[in-house]
Amino acid sequence: MEPLIKVENLWHIYPVGNVTALRDVSLNINRGELIGVIGQNGSGKTTLVKHFVGLLKPTRGKVYIDGEDTAPLKVQQLAAKVGYVYQNPNHQLFARTVQAELEFGPTNLGLPEDEVAERVEQAIKFFGLEDLRDLHPYRIGFPLRKLVGMASIYTMKPDIFILDEPTTGQDNITTRKVYHLIEKLRDEGATVLCVAHDMILLAEVVERMLVLRDSELIMDGTPRQVFSNHEVMASTHITPPQITILSLRLRKDQQTLDDVVLSVDEMIELTKQSNTGKK
Amino acid sequence: MSDKKPIIEFKGVTFWYGGANDKPAIKNINLTIHEGEYVALLGLNGAGKTTLQLCINGVIPNSIMGEFEGEVIVYGNDTYDTPVREMAKFVGMVFDNPEFQLSQMSVAEEIALGMESLGFSYDEMTKTITEVLEIVGLRGLEDRSPFGLSGGQQQRLSIASALAMRPKILVMDEPTSNVDPIGKEEIFAVAEQLNREKNMTVIMAEHEVEVMAAYADIVVVMHEGEILLNGTPEEVFSNVDLIHKLGLRMPQVTEYAHRLNQLNLASIKKPYPVTLDSAVERFKDIL
């Protein structure tokens, strides 16, 4: 099967200051994958995903979305396929009501009115925004405003969602809600990329991680592989979830990937297995 | 703790942003904080953490409109009738979004800004700028634009600006929520160093419970404007059921200890371990 996103030897050099932001990155992403993109600010992760939306074009190399070379495509042409949800919803929202905000995308895609209305209803239901539809986006709190940002992309039904720090500034309850929504998006068939520093999101929700450091893709693997790679963790200053580190420290000698736990639930399972083994 | 000097006292403090008919943002707060303590404030968004923090430097009730009841005493000063400018000598504030706090053309000017309003001399200002930049690890960036710094650097600059006023208390409101992992490490390290080496009192609102459990002496849990728990991390995080009920997270190792007990997989006595090192020690034979 043709990958949904195909990146071939991608280089990006920002003309101002001649800064190399991406150096020879190659990767494939298949339909339905749920992926985390991690690395420090300035490592190249935002530069990478901006190529998928058409906001940036390769200096060298190729990016294909659904088999199509993105180089000649405009952002508007990609909007039906790829949606970008900003970290700060204020950079994205501008309409006077939530309802109008949600109508904007599909209307802009040239869809008929009844189709637009149907998609808005679907988005309101999916994100649980029933009580907010007539409010000004700036009148609602930050956590819900972020959901409105996601919903306004959802109405365009893109194949690919790119979520920039979807849980930043959220408390535990809204964070859990966002995790659930990300999984639901994937269950509906979407491909989701989360650019994130939230390690619990990466451990418990995503299935594959792309690690960038100094403009290079230094690792592409499962959360278990990435979190147990000491060299990658240390050189990117990323701290795995506390329970993952606990499992690594308790099983220092006989470490297989199965011993690397990603959640408290998994740690409990591992303890049960170990108890059975002892008896 | 009893030999430590109480420096912040909340006595029956209630504050309404609107009139007294609305729901108060904080309700009947009684809280004593001692000199040199590192206090973590936990709670969901809207629990009242920011409101409580704004009472410490007197911005509430002096600069923010609303209804105020009770008393906040900081180093013997009643915040109700002490000008905020005067309170700045005791309390430095750092907020979650550094961009909101930065306004000047250079790092040095940014720090000078607060000092000018307090009437420091030029020599004192130069000396202080060097000193506080040293503390937060930004020496050499004096002439850079604050807006060209990384998020972690900007936040450390906010801390430096607060330190320039020589406060005894540093109040931080989710200072790491907009920075990357290196930035987080840097900010937590500076706060910890100030607390440990300079005996600065730190009052930090944060969602990073694992970090707070490791650094804080005292954890205060707020919910709907009230303080529900107040104690050492071990005491507070042993109240597992309440913390779950409030929708808050606890350190993952503590959660694990609790589940081991519940499922009869092991008998873990309270207080539960709250830090990684103590958990490694307690669980070393469990797998």
Side-chain angles (χ1 to χ4, degrees):
Chain A
M1 196 176 69
E2 181 77 8
L4 184 58
I5 302 175
K6 189 175 176 65
V7 179
E8 283 180 350
N9 306 104
L10 172 64
W11 287 70
H12 194 91
I13 300 164
Y14 286 107
V16 180
N18 209 25
V19 179
T20 303
L22 284 177
R23 194 185 302 273
D24 202 19
V25 171
S26 297
L27 60 98
N28 291 331
I29 292 172
N30 292 316
R31 199 172 281 277
E33 282 197 276
L34 181 37
I35 295 182
V37 184
I38 68 168
Q40 296 300 325
N41 295 345
S43 62
K45 52 191 196 319
T46 305
T47 304
L48 176 65
V49 299
K50 280 187 172 168
H51 282 83
F52 305 157
V53 209
L55 285 169
L56 290 174
K57 296 293 152 93
T59 308
R60 253 180 280 161
K62 293 279 186 196
V63 174
Y64 300 93
I65 301 290
D66 208 6
E68 205 172 352
D69 184 351
T70 60
L73 297 180
K74 296 201 169 69
V75 176
Q76 295 87 318
Q77 292 170 291
L78 279 162
K81 283 213 159 78
V82 193
Y84 189 92
V85 180
Y86 283 79
Q87 172 175 354
N88 186 341
N90 302 351
H91 294 167
Q92 192 183 334
L93 303 176
F94 54 85
R96 286 164 65 174
T97 64
V98 168
Q99 168 100 17
E101 193 67 62
L102 300 185
E103 285 165 354
F104 181 80
T107 305
N108 227 21
L109 292 178
L111 296 170
E113 248 174 65
D114 52 342
E115 171 74 17
V116 172
E118 196 186 319
R119 288 192 179 194
V120 168
E121 291 317 307
Q122 286 168 349
I124 284 179
K125 192 154 169 265
F126 189 92
F127 290 94
L129 304 175
E130 286 83 358
D131 300 336
L132 308 178
R133 68 167 79 222
D134 298 325
L135 295 181
H136 192 290
Y138 283 24
R139 297 279 301 174
I140 56 184
F142 182 82
L144 285 171
R145 207 182 310 150
K146 274 191 98 139
L147 291 189
V148 174
M150 280 168 84
S152 69
I153 298 298
Y154 182 83
T155 52
M156 292 190 275
K157 296 210 170 154
D159 295 322
I160 303 161
F161 283 83
I162 297 173
L163 311 178
D164 194 354
E165 297 290 354
T167 57
T168 298
Q170 312 264 36
D171 60 35
N172 186 43
I173 288 185
T174 37
T175 296
R176 288 281 154 192
K177 193 166 170 187
V178 170
Y179 293 173
H180 176 66
L181 288 168
I182 291 172
E183 286 169 334
K184 239 171 90 179
L185 282 176
R186 196 266 323 273
D187 293 344
E188 287 196 346
T191 304
V192 186
L193 278 85
C194 301
V195 178
H197 297 312
D198 174 352
M199 291 305 135
I200 294 182
L201 163 71
L202 298 163
E204 296 187 10
V205 181
V206 313
E207 294 145 357
R208 174 182 169 194
M209 284 163 77
L210 306 173
V211 187
L212 285 115
R213 184 186 67 204
D214 298 337
S215 319
E216 292 183 49
L217 179 64
I218 60 161
M219 192 167 182
D220 178 351
T222 65
R224 263 179 248 285
Q225 290 167 332
V226 171
F227 286 136
S228 59
N229 188 315
H230 298 293
E231 194 273 322
V232 166
M233 289 296 93
S235 70
T236 52
H237 291 260
I238 287 164
T239 310
Q242 190 181 41
I243 201 73
T244 307
I245 310 179
L246 180 68
S247 72
L248 291 168
R249 283 179 59 180
L250 293 179
R251 278 274 168 100
K252 243 186 294 187
D253 312 324
Q254 31 160 346
Q255 230 173 67
T256 69
L257 274 186
D258 290 340
D259 292 340
V260 183
V261 311
L262 297 174
S263 64
V264 176
D265 285 346
E266 287 188 7
M267 189 67 183
I268 290 290
E269 280 314 306
L270 188 68
T271 313
K272 281 183 187 164
Q273 285 167 22
S274 160
N275 275 1
T276 322
K278 276 178 203 161
K279 276 173 198 164
Chain B
M1 289 298 160
S2 56
D3 54 332
K4 282 196 178 173
K5 182 166 122 193
I7 53 159
I8 302 175
E9 286 194 79
F10 280 73
K11 296 179 191 165
V13 177
T14 302
F15 184 74
W16 296 262
Y17 282 99
N21 293 327
D22 295 340
K23 236 175 100 186
I26 52 175
K27 197 156 70 189
N28 191 27
I29 298 292
N30 291 293
L31 176 68
T32 302
I33 293 171
H34 301 88
E35 188 159 55
E37 275 178 346
Y38 191 131
V39 180
L41 280 182
L42 304 181
L44 298 177
N45 295 339
K49 307 186 296 287
T50 302
T51 304
L52 186 148
Q53 289 187 318
L54 292 173
C55 290
I56 299 173
N57 73 341
V59 161
I60 291 177
N62 291 307
S63 308
I64 293 181
M65 298 290 284
E67 289 286 321
F68 181 83
E69 249 179 44
E71 221 176 37
V72 180
I73 310 289
V74 178
Y75 277 101
N77 300 279
D78 187 335
T79 57
Y80 193 83
D81 44 38
T82 311
V84 174
R85 204 161 53 91
E86 202 56 31
M87 289 306 299
K89 294 176 188 166
F90 299 100
V91 188
M93 306 283 287
V94 176
F95 298 99
D96 60 344
N97 193 339
E99 281 175 51
F100 284 161
Q101 301 178 67
L102 303 175
S103 61
Q104 300 299 299
M105 301 293 283
S106 76
V107 165
E109 286 170 89
E110 194 64 58
I111 297 170
L113 185 67
M115 285 190 284
E116 278 167 0
S117 65
L118 284 189
F120 280 70
S121 74
Y122 181 81
D123 285 349
E124 272 175 304
M125 293 206 311
T126 328
K127 195 170 145 268
T128 306
I129 289 169
T130 308
E131 221 178 280
V132 294
L133 286 178
E134 184 77 47
I135 293 171
V136 301
L138 291 179
R139 273 294 300 283
L141 301 184
E142 285 81 351
D143 300 327
R144 291 272 295 276
S145 162
F147 299 96
L149 303 177
S150 73
Q153 288 172 328
Q154 286 182 343
Q155 203 54 304
R156 283 185 287 149
L157 174 56
S158 302
I159 298 174
S161 304
L163 293 179
M165 325 281 266
R166 312 248 172 238
K168 294 167 179 299
I169 302 163
L170 193 58
V171 175
M172 305 173 93
D173 190 6
E174 298 185 25
T176 72
S177 68
N178 284 301
V179 301
D180 65 9
I182 291 185
K184 279 190 190 192
E185 270 177 32
E186 292 169 348
I187 294 161
F188 286 132
V190 167
E192 207 242 336
Q193 186 199 343
L194 286 166
N195 175 250
R196 206 186 45 225
E197 291 174 11
K198 309 215 180 269
N199 201 34
M200 173 131 358
T201 307
V202 173
I203 300 160
M204 170 121 52
E206 253 298 334
H207 293 302
E208 300 262 341
V209 285
E210 279 87 1
V211 181
M212 288 301 99
Y215 287 150
D217 303 305
I218 299 292
V219 174
V220 171
V221 174
M222 296 187 71
H223 186 70
E224 294 184 350
E226 295 181 82
I227 292 178
L228 297 195
L229 295 169
N230 176 5
T232 65
E234 286 79 6
E235 288 163 1
V236 165
F237 291 121
S238 288
N239 289 284
V240 176
D241 293 333
L242 179 58
I243 288 176
H244 279 165
K245 208 179 106 200
L246 300 179
L248 294 174
R249 237 163 55 69
M250 67 187 74
Q252 286 185 318
V253 296
T254 315
E255 179 87 39
Y256 175 57
H258 175 68
R259 299 270 295 278
L260 287 173
N261 260 353
Q262 264 194 328
L263 297 167
N264 284 320
L265 287 168
S267 166
I268 311 294
K269 287 201 175 60
K270 287 188 182 182
Y272 292 141
V274 298
T275 64
L276 188 59
D277 286 337
S278 63
V280 169
E281 183 56 32
R282 281 281 274 282
F283 299 133
K284 60 178 186 283
D285 300 318
I286 207 153
L287 292 184

